[in-house]
Amino acid sequence: MSGASGTPYAAAVLRALLAAGESVDLVVSRASRLTLLDETGIAYRDAHWRDDLRAWLSRGADGKPDTFVTDMDADAVRHWSPGDLAAGPSSGSYPAKGMLIVPASTACVAGVALGLSKDLLQRAASVTLKERRPLVVAVRETPLNGQTLRHLVTLDDAGASVVPASPAFYAGATHIQDLVDFVAGRVLDAAGVGHRLYRRWEGDLGGGSRTA
């Protein structure tokens, strides 16, 4: 997680990853902790990360309880401090299927595109690219200036998937969480992780082709 607004997107992705039986290495940047506090009132602390994560994931985007994480597997999530550049994900030899940055701020996008590696989040993204693993960047900003657009093109050229946090409305959304889940689902689609977060477009039933 970087410091962009959109912590509900990150929560939805995390819930879906855990529901799919995936193990997660979690890096919550310093800036994203401020955003999380502002958007949810929850302080995310290294010393109490498990309790803070549970409190965060137990709340939907509309503030209503989400009971999924009540029995969250204690071993399914591994927390890494953003300043720990000796952490596992900082090395290419650390086993990982890929990396998702949700939400991705323009500052984070710039840092990864330029290869700055100023913190663990950027370093892990650089490692993901050099190891040719899937990197999904869910950029959450509008409007986008030319500099950020060039950085996004750089990431695309490097093999990353750029997934703007742009919800669609054809899936029959009736609640805020539905729109959040659509974006989270598209992020997981780009990463090749199965889910049931939104209703997929099936084409024109009157004779048109169906699409997955």
Side-chain angles (χ1 to χ4, degrees), residues 20-44:
E22 300 287 349
S23 297
V24 177
D25 289 284
L26 180 62
V27 181
V28 182
S29 74
R30 290 185 175 90
S32 67
R33 298 177 193 218
L34 297 176
T35 305
L36 184 63
L37 181 63
D38 185 57
E39 293 185 347
T40 69
I42 295 173
Y44 188 92

Side-chain angles (χ1 to χ4, degrees), residues 4 9 21-22 49 51 65-66 76 117 120 124 129 133 167 169 190 196:
Y9 294 128
E22 300 287 349
W49 71 268
D51 290 337
D66 187 303
S117 296
L120 180 57
L129 289 175
R133 297 168 183 161
F169 295 85
R196 299 182 66 182

Side-chain angles (χ1 to χ4, degrees), residues 4 104 106 139-145 148 164-166:
T106 55
V139 61
R140 216 304 306 164
E141 185 59 270
T142 189
L144 296 171
N145 63 28
T148 298
S166 301

Side-chain angles (χ1 to χ4, degrees), residues 1-207:
M1 288 177 59
S2 74
S5 176
T7 56
Y9 294 128
V13 168
L14 280 167
R15 290 191 204 99
L17 286 171
L18 296 174
E22 300 287 349
S23 297
V24 177
D25 289 284
L26 180 62
V27 181
V28 182
S29 74
R30 290 185 175 90
S32 67
R33 298 177 193 218
L34 297 176
T35 305
L36 184 63
L37 181 63
D38 185 57
E39 293 185 347
T40 69
I42 295 173
Y44 188 92
R45 304 156 295 176
D46 286 338
H48 305 281
W49 71 268
R50 197 178 302 280
D51 290 337
D52 297 339
L53 179 64
R54 193 182 303 275
W56 174 39
L57 296 188
S58 66
R59 181 186 306 176
D62 54 4
K64 296 180 181 179
D66 187 303
T67 58
F68 169 74
V69 294
T70 301
D71 299 317
M72 185 176 67
D73 186 349
D75 297 323
V77 179
R78 192 170 187 180
H79 161 83
W80 300 97
S81 175
D84 185 6
L85 291 179
S90 69
S91 172
S93 65
Y94 186 79
K97 295 180 180 178
M99 181 175 179
L100 315 176
I101 305 179
V102 186
S105 66
T106 55
C108 177
V109 166
V112 176
L114 297 174
L116 298 183
S117 296
K118 72 172 186 177
D119 61 11
L120 180 57
L121 188 66
Q122 293 182 12
R123 172 58 186 168
S126 294
V127 166
T128 301
L129 289 175
K130 81 178 182 67
E131 296 294 328
R132 300 295 191 269
R133 297 168 183 161
L135 172 65
V136 183
V137 180
V139 61
R140 216 304 306 164
E141 185 59 270
T142 189
L144 296 171
N145 63 28
Q147 187 176 45
T148 298
L149 290 169
R150 286 188 287 273
H151 289 151
L152 291 172
V153 170
T154 296
L155 292 180
D156 180 78
D157 289 343
S161 295
V162 177
V163 181
S166 301
F169 295 85
Y170 64 76
T174 58
H175 301 284
I176 294 174
Q177 189 63 51
D178 296 331
L179 298 175
V180 168
D181 286 346
F182 179 87
V183 172
R186 296 300 286 152
V187 168
L188 294 171
D189 288 344
V193 177
H195 66 86
R196 299 182 66 182
L197 287 176
Y198 67 87
R199 178 172 61 83
R200 296 183 182 276
W201 179 254
E202 295 185 344
D204 182 1
L205 297 180

